[in-house]
Amino acid sequence: MSAVSDRLPTFPWDKLEPYKKTAAAHPDGIVDLSVGTPVDPVPELIQKALIAAADSPGYPTVWGTPELRDAITRWVEHRLGARGVTHRHVLPVVGSKELVAWLPTQLGLGPGDKVAFPRLAYPTYEVGARLARAEHVAYDDPTELDPAGLKLLWLNSPSNPTGRVLSREELTRIVAWAREHGVLVLSDECYIELGWEADPVSVLHPDVNGGSYDGIVAVHSLSKRSNLAGYRAAFLAGDPAVLGPLLQIRKHGGMMTSAPTQAAVVAALGDDEHVRVQRERYAARRAVLREALLAHGFRIEHSEASLYLWATRDESCWDTVAHLADRGILVAPGDFYGPAGDTFVRVALTATDDRIRTAAHRLTP
């Protein structure tokens, strides 16, 4: 066990504990804006679908029910503009973090292979490379990477943590470059429903991929758009030549989404109204927090989409974390997402309306 754990970095969130204690000591309690975990109720129609499927004594299938695959194929065509999507183009997974962490291993990558991800990125991309004993490299522009040995290229638009959105033109250029060099593209699009000042585009759109899914796979999650983080519900869509072998591997590994969760996902993907309502909640919270941070002397960069504000006071991120913790507000230090974030903090929109207003009041000069 130690041989595996020794490959991994220190779990970053443990470093935040002293600041969490400081923030929790505030007379009116902590406002936790550090982890992007949903706080709003699971929509009723999804809860009802889960309950209706509760009597599920048999094993679920890794590929999911035909109804689930139908729901995914319909959604990627309806919402993302994909065309010609069949059951062979989709694969349910047990939450997107599990997929990110274990995909390099499941693809058979190892020593001598390279996994690339953005300079500022979700830490689990690196963890996945380390678990597979593959090399990892961070980029600013992936087309400037040396393609030798590069087997897996992670894109993330909208970005966690920065909220940056890759344009249609950027995505098209990157996909063309990756195909030219035989590099598999995995596009993490889990925040695609949450564009504020930009309209995020999927790599599954024909304007980006030229009508072919060769060498591209998109990752989608229901955690944020439907408040289903506790359900562990996500899926892949894209190249059947990649998803077919993954399905077989995951069958052997027993990586099955529970049957009640599958039924809940069918309901969630078939309803746009609850997504609209949740977007409005987050948009209102974003406006309140953004105004308060700017008034407090912060500068906000990117943040045109996703569930976070990428903010700086041009000082060490840990000084900013301490400054806000003294006011009972907990945020994530930018260096959790790479050294390039060492003067930024990530401020999540995932708190109740009341706690967001409380945070804004505490930031009032």
Side-chain angles (χ1 to χ4, degrees):
M1 289 300 296
S2 62
V4 176
S5 62
D6 286 349
R7 295 181 220 159
L8 303 179
T10 302
F11 189 63
W13 294 96
D14 292 344
K15 296 164 61 178
L16 205 55
E17 280 302 312
Y19 302 91
K20 186 173 185 178
K21 290 180 180 176
T22 299
H26 190 281
D28 190 30
I30 188 173
V31 179
D32 193 342
L33 306 178
S34 62
V35 182
T37 187
V39 298
D40 299 303
V42 173
E44 187 176 359
L45 84 159
I46 300 175
Q47 292 190 48
K48 286 182 176 178
L50 184 84
I51 293 167
D55 186 13
S56 298
Y59 289 113
T61 64
V62 172
W63 203 16
T65 62
E67 292 78 13
L68 175 59
R69 283 176 264 139
D70 282 343
I72 296 172
T73 57
R74 282 195 300 265
W75 184 85
V76 297
E77 292 195 344
H78 161 68
R79 177 61 185 84
L80 306 181
R83 296 290 179 267
V85 180
T86 71
H87 285 196
R88 294 174 56 248
H89 293 87
V90 302
L91 178 63
V93 295
V94 191
S96 57
K97 184 169 185 174
E98 167 263 304
L99 182 280
V100 172
W102 292 106
L103 182 65
T105 299
Q106 291 173 5
L107 291 173
L109 304 191
D113 298 324
K114 290 189 293 189
V115 176
F117 44 79
R119 182 84 54 197
L120 285 164
Y122 184 47
T124 311
Y125 302 135
E126 179 180 336
V127 167
R130 287 175 176 268
L131 286 170
R133 298 181 184 269
E135 298 175 30
H136 55 87
V137 56
Y139 65 78
D140 294 308
D141 180 344
T143 65
E144 295 176 357
L145 291 168
D146 179 357
L150 180 59
K151 298 296 178 66
L152 176 59
L153 173 63
W154 281 106
L155 304 181
N156 182 207
S157 175
S159 163
N160 172 17
T162 68
R164 182 188 172 205
V165 172
L166 294 174
S167 69
R168 191 181 306 252
E169 293 73 24
E170 287 176 296
L171 287 171
T172 301
R173 176 175 60 86
I174 293 166
V175 167
W177 177 87
R179 283 174 168 167
E180 178 184 352
H181 296 287
V183 178
L184 175 63
V185 173
L186 260 289
S187 182
D188 181 345
E189 301 174 354
C190 290
Y191 295 89
I192 204 164
E193 299 271 24
L194 300 168
W196 312 118
E197 297 163 4
D199 187 13
V201 179
S202 172
V203 295
L204 300 179
H205 196 286
D207 287 355
V208 171
N209 61 42
S212 167
Y213 300 116
D214 291 350
I216 58 172
V217 175
V219 184
H220 285 272
S221 167
L222 286 86
S223 293
K224 307 302 194 293
R225 50 101 65 192
S226 298
N227 298 333
L228 295 189
Y231 284 44
R232 309 315 301 134
F235 61 87
L236 305 178
D239 190 347
V242 176
L243 300 188
L246 273 181
L247 172 59
Q248 297 307 314
I249 291 165
R250 294 173 68 84
K251 283 181 178 179
H252 283 291
M255 294 177 168
M256 302 171 279
T257 304
S258 76
T261 296
Q262 291 187 33
V265 171
V266 172
L269 292 179
D271 179 71
D272 292 332
E273 178 61 16
H274 78 276
V275 181
R276 184 193 66 77
V277 170
Q278 191 60 44
R279 274 181 53 86
E280 288 184 356
R281 289 185 184 125
Y282 284 135
R285 292 166 187 168
R286 179 180 183 273
V288 170
L289 269 181
R290 189 176 188 278
E291 181 180 352
L293 288 166
L294 292 173
H296 197 73
F298 280 87
R299 186 176 78 255
I300 295 173
E301 293 191 0
H302 299 301
S303 307
E304 59 258 32
S306 85
L307 280 183
Y308 313 104
L309 293 169
W310 188 239
T312 182
R313 301 203 316 162
D314 296 309
E315 63 183 6
S316 163
C317 60
W318 288 101
D319 289 344
T320 306
V321 169
H323 171 80
L324 292 174
D326 287 340
R327 287 153 180 78
I329 302 168
L330 190 67
V331 298
D335 66 4
F336 277 11
Y337 308 94
D342 63 359
T343 60
F344 284 81
V345 293
R346 192 194 73 170
V347 185
L349 310 180
T350 49
T352 64
D353 294 345
D354 176 66
R355 297 314 279 169
I356 292 287
R357 287 192 295 267
T358 296
H361 177 72
R362 294 178 187 177
L363 291 169
T364 301

